[in-house]
């Protein structure tokens, strides 16, 4: 058993050693910290699975530290050194920006799967700075960059491990040092994929083409992708390729939210019994709240989680109404969800700009205000490394009992957004919020319909995913009511939090018709 067993549980240590054996077969020896060149051959795939609280993230973090200590280069989505092309490499990926940001907040330099498929092309002069920051070159001397600016960049990179963030701290914008984007042509090396339950088969096959060694981290109790009939990609792996982590009681013994999530595995627990458990827990622990209404103050930053689309639309309309948002325009502070990008093929580069900088389908965004030209929006992309963006936008506000959404304003092409005050539980996978509100009447409907998915009552799978989105506080909403806001919508905290005010798509370059 490895030395890491001192800090890991028994099943985590077993999984750590199993991954160590897989990596050793790929030429990476974590015991002796020796590396041999990457060999070509069939992709090695391993899945580490476990429910919430089993320690998957801790294990991923420990494996990352061990690989970095052994001399493996960690590849991010913002820069890849040409001087390090012969080094062994690790990329830590997640399906969404929000999921990647959860890892980054825990010290793991993760990026999105989409981001790793495309590489930024740097201006040759500023590439010298990037090489120096990454530890592969000497301190550069560039006209326009003072010693103090370079020092700020060095401090920023040590903190955030982001080249664009570091260069932004030196006073540069993305358009100063990134000249374009290109599709990755060369394979990578080792890939760690978090939230692997969200992968569909096509994404999995794409990853297998890029990575000779692939380790999936996933929760088999979550909801499968909607296009895969309840099946997850690791379900098709052979038994020797899969390892199950058990719950770590010593780490989650005082977590009532996880207690409730794991109680759903008991076949004797029906919907009424489960709600009784929630109500009883709420009486003794403030981290679980039994509520007769949706608390609107939380909806701008953490959406209400629902099952039915009709419920989602009604809650969004109620949210806009209580804040006095006019039908014909958005109010700064309103939450949005990116629903894709509508650009023709001739604007492929601009599409790559948008997607590579965070505006991919499912990205959570806060509206900051209109841009300088009609149809443009200033946005804050939640969880993105460079959150402040400006882009041509198409905003759709759905209304109850109306088939076509109302569009308060729009560019003719650009990033498409739906309102984000409420989202479906399916869309919430991979995300976490400090406080999560679950709209229980929707789950009761799923219970009454008696639907089964992958051998489990659907309402239980929905409840499990919804509950485990909460980091600190769970609000179980049992009535179709909405509170009044106690404060106006705000954006000042987002502006203050931004470390890289880069323009995603300059308004004189992105097409708006």
């Amino acid at each position: 058993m490895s030395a890491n067993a001192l800090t890991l549980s028994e099943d985590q240590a077993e999984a750590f050693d199993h991954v160590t054996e897989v990596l050793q077969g790929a030429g990476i020896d974590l015991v002796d910290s020796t590396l041999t060149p990457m060999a070509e051959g069939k992709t090695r795939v391993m899945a580490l699975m476990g429910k919430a609280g089993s320690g998957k993230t801790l294990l991923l973090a420990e494996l990352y530290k061990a690989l970095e200590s052994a001399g493996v280069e960690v590849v991010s989505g913002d820069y890849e050194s040409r001087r390090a092309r012969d080094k062994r490499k690790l990329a830590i990926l997640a399906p969404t920006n929000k999921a990647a940001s959860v890892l980054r907040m825990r010290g793991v330099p993760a990026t999105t799967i989409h981001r790793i498929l495309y590489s930024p092309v740097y201006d040759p002069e500023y590439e010298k700075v990037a090489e120096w920051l990454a530890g592969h070159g000497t301190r550069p001397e560039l006209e326009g960059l003072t010693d103090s600016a370079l020092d700020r960049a060095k401090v920023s990179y040590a903190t955030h491990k982001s080249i664009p963030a570091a260069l932004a701290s030196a006073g540069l914008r993305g358009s100063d040092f990134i000249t374009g984007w290109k599709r990755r042509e060369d394979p990578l090396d080792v890939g760690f994929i978090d939230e692997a339950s969200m992968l569909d088969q096509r994404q999995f096959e794409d990853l297998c083409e890029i990575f000779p060694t692939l380790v999936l981290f996933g929760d088999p109790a979550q909801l499968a992708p909607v296009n895969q009939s309840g099946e997850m990609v690791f379900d098709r792996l052979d038994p020797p390729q899969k390892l199950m982590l058990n719950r770590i009681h010593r780490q989650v013994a005082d977590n009532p939210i996880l207690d409730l999530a794991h109680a759903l595995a008991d076949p004797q627990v029906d919907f009424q019994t489960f709600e009784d458990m929630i109500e009883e827990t709420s009486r003794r622990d403030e981290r679980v709240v039994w509520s007769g209404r949706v608390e609107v103050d939380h909806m701008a930053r953490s959406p209400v989680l629902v099952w039915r689309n009709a419920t989602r639309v009604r809650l969004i309309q109620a949210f806009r109404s209580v804040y006095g948002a006019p039908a014909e325009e958005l109010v700064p502070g309103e939450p949005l969800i990116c629903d894709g990008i509508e650009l023709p093929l001739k604007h492929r580069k601009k599409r790559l700009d948008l997607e590579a900088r965070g505006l991919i389908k499912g990205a959570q965004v806060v509206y900051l205000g209109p841009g300088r030209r009609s149809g443009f929006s200033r946005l804050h992309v939640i969880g993105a490394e460079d959150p402040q963006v400006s882009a041509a936008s198409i905003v759709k506000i759905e209304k109850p009992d109306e088939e076509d959404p109302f569009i308060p304003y729009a560019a003719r092409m650009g990033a498409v957004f739906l309102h984000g005050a409420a989202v479906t539980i399916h869309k919430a996978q991979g995300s976490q919020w400090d406080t999560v509100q679950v709209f229980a009447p929707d789950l009761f409907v799923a219970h009454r319909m008696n639907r089964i998915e992958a051998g489990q009552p659907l309402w239980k799978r929905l409840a499990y995913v919804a509950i485990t989105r909460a980091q600190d506080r769970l609000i179980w909403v049992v009535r179709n009511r909405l509170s009044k806001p106690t404060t106006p919508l705000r954006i000042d905290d987002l502006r203050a939090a931004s470390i890289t005010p880069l323009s995603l798509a300059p308004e004189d370059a992105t097409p708006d018709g």
Side-chain angles (χ1 to χ4, degrees):
M1 188 173 291
S2 72
N4 284 271
L6 296 174
T7 58
L8 302 179
S9 67
E10 184 176 349
D11 59 347
Q12 281 180 314
E14 180 184 352
F16 187 100
D17 290 342
H18 194 62
V19 175
T20 298
E21 292 177 9
V22 171
L23 293 172
Q24 189 171 32
I28 300 174
D29 193 326
L30 296 184
V31 178
D32 297 330
S33 293
T34 58
L35 308 174
T36 57
M38 181 177 65
E40 296 184 1
K42 184 178 179 181
T43 299
R44 305 173 186 86
V45 181
M46 178 183 177
L48 299 179
M49 301 177 296
K51 292 185 177 182
S54 61
K56 298 185 298 297
T57 301
L58 175 62
L59 179 59
L60 188 156
E62 291 299 312
L63 286 165
Y64 147 65
K65 293 175 186 176
L67 283 161
E68 188 176 47
S69 297
V72 175
E73 182 91 0
V74 178
V75 178
S76 71
D78 55 46
Y79 183 71
E80 187 174 344
S81 173
R82 286 184 284 184
R83 300 187 186 186
R85 284 183 176 175
D86 294 333
K87 295 192 67 173
R88 302 304 302 268
K89 298 176 182 178
L90 166 69
I92 304 167
L93 310 178
T96 65
N97 286 298
K98 184 66 175 177
S101 73
V102 170
L103 288 174
R104 290 198 299 271
M105 289 177 63
R106 300 179 183 182
V108 179
T111 190
T112 62
I113 293 170
H114 186 278
R115 184 74 179 268
I116 212 69
L117 295 176
Y118 298 96
S119 302
V121 179
Y122 275 60
D123 177 276
E125 286 298 298
Y126 293 112
E127 189 169 10
K128 298 175 183 177
V129 182
E131 289 285 351
W132 168 62
L133 291 171
H136 301 299
T138 58
R139 184 184 178 101
E141 293 184 5
L142 273 74
E143 184 178 353
L145 276 185
T146 64
D147 284 341
S148 61
L150 288 173
D151 290 341
R152 290 197 304 273
K154 191 71 170 178
V155 171
S156 173
Y157 185 75
T159 304
H160 304 291
K161 297 298 183 183
S162 168
I163 297 292
L167 293 178
S169 72
L172 299 171
R173 301 193 320 163
S175 56
D176 294 328
F177 55 84
I178 294 178
T179 61
W181 301 82
K182 64 179 180 179
R183 173 85 184 199
R184 177 175 296 279
E185 297 176 356
D186 299 326
L188 280 170
D189 193 347
V190 178
F192 287 174
I193 314 300
D194 197 29
E195 296 289 350
S197 60
M198 298 174 66
L199 294 177
D200 60 31
Q201 191 61 31
R202 182 175 179 180
Q203 290 174 314
F204 177 61
E205 291 170 359
D206 286 344
L207 290 168
C208 287
E209 290 181 5
I210 296 174
F211 293 100
T213 303
L214 201 58
V215 183
L216 309 178
F217 296 79
D219 186 339
Q222 290 196 15
L223 295 160
V226 294
N227 59 345
Q228 296 206 171
S229 303
E231 185 179 62
M232 300 178 185
V233 294
F234 38 67
D235 291 337
R236 299 185 182 185
L237 299 179
D238 294 331
Q241 295 175 278
K242 297 185 286 188
L243 193 63
M244 181 66 71
L245 297 174
N246 298 311
R247 186 180 181 188
I248 305 170
H249 293 275
R250 62 182 173 82
Q251 291 187 354
V252 296
D254 188 34
N255 191 327
I257 299 172
L258 286 180
D259 286 340
L260 290 168
H262 285 270
L264 289 163
D266 186 348
Q268 301 302 315
V269 173
D270 60 14
F271 188 84
Q272 185 59 56
T273 302
F274 186 65
E275 283 212 315
D276 291 343
M277 293 174 64
I278 294 174
E279 189 172 17
E280 191 278 327
T281 302
S282 69
R283 296 193 189 101
R284 57 180 171 80
D285 198 308
E286 62 182 8
R287 290 171 289 182
V288 176
V289 178
W290 178 272
S291 179
R293 64 184 185 180
V294 174
E295 296 297 331
V296 72
D297 287 336
H298 294 298
M299 294 173 70
R301 300 297 169 81
S302 55
V304 180
L305 304 188
V306 305
W307 176 46
R308 296 178 295 177
N309 202 48
T311 305
R312 179 182 67 86
V313 174
R314 286 199 302 271
L315 284 171
I316 287 170
Q317 283 300 307
F319 171 87
R320 302 199 77 234
S321 177
V322 298
Y323 277 109
E328 65 275 6
E329 62 183 284
L330 289 175
V331 175
E334 288 197 68
L336 302 173
I337 300 289
C338 183
D339 197 42
I341 296 175
E342 293 185 1
L343 286 173
L345 288 176
K346 67 179 181 178
H347 293 297
R348 179 178 177 274
K349 179 181 180 296
K350 192 55 60 183
R351 176 185 291 273
L352 297 185
D353 285 342
L354 294 168
E355 292 176 338
R357 301 301 294 276
L359 286 181
I360 59 177
K361 191 176 180 69
Q364 300 167 46
V365 173
V366 176
Y367 177 73
L368 301 180
R372 291 191 299 271
R373 291 173 59 187
S374 176
F376 278 81
S377 302
R378 290 180 293 113
L379 308 165
H380 181 101
V381 183
I382 301 295
E385 295 173 72
D386 308 316
Q388 301 291 325
V389 304
S390 178
S393 308
I394 303 167
V395 180
K396 299 178 180 180
I397 306 296
E398 298 156 290
K399 293 188 175 182
D401 304 319
E402 294 186 17
E403 185 175 347
D404 295 325
F406 173 71
I407 300 178
Y409 70 90
R412 288 205 310 205
M413 45 191 166
V416 181
F417 297 97
L418 303 176
H419 207 279
V423 302
T424 63
I425 295 170
H426 273 91
K427 290 285 183 67
Q429 287 196 130
S431 299
Q432 283 190 312
W433 296 273
D434 291 341
T435 297
V436 163
Q437 299 187 85
V438 180
F439 194 74
D442 262 19
L443 300 188
F444 178 71
V445 172
H447 157 65
R448 290 289 299 270
M449 293 176 68
N450 199 29
R451 288 179 55 176
I452 303 295
E453 183 177 292
Q456 182 84 345
L458 176 60
W459 78 265
K460 285 192 171 186
R461 297 184 79 92
L462 291 166
Y464 176 86
V465 171
I467 286 171
T468 54
R469 301 311 92 200
Q471 291 179 298
D472 303 316
R473 193 162 175 254
L474 169 69
I475 301 177
W476 189 261
V477 181
V478 296
R479 295 286 184 273
N480 188 14
R481 297 173 183 168
L482 193 71
S483 70
K484 293 182 179 180
T486 59
T487 59
L489 291 172
R490 59 179 300 196
I491 58 173
D492 58 306
D493 58 325
L494 294 179
R495 286 173 172 162
S498 175
I499 58 172
T500 53
L502 303 178
S503 178
L504 175 66
E507 294 177 0
D508 57 356
T510 300
D512 67 347

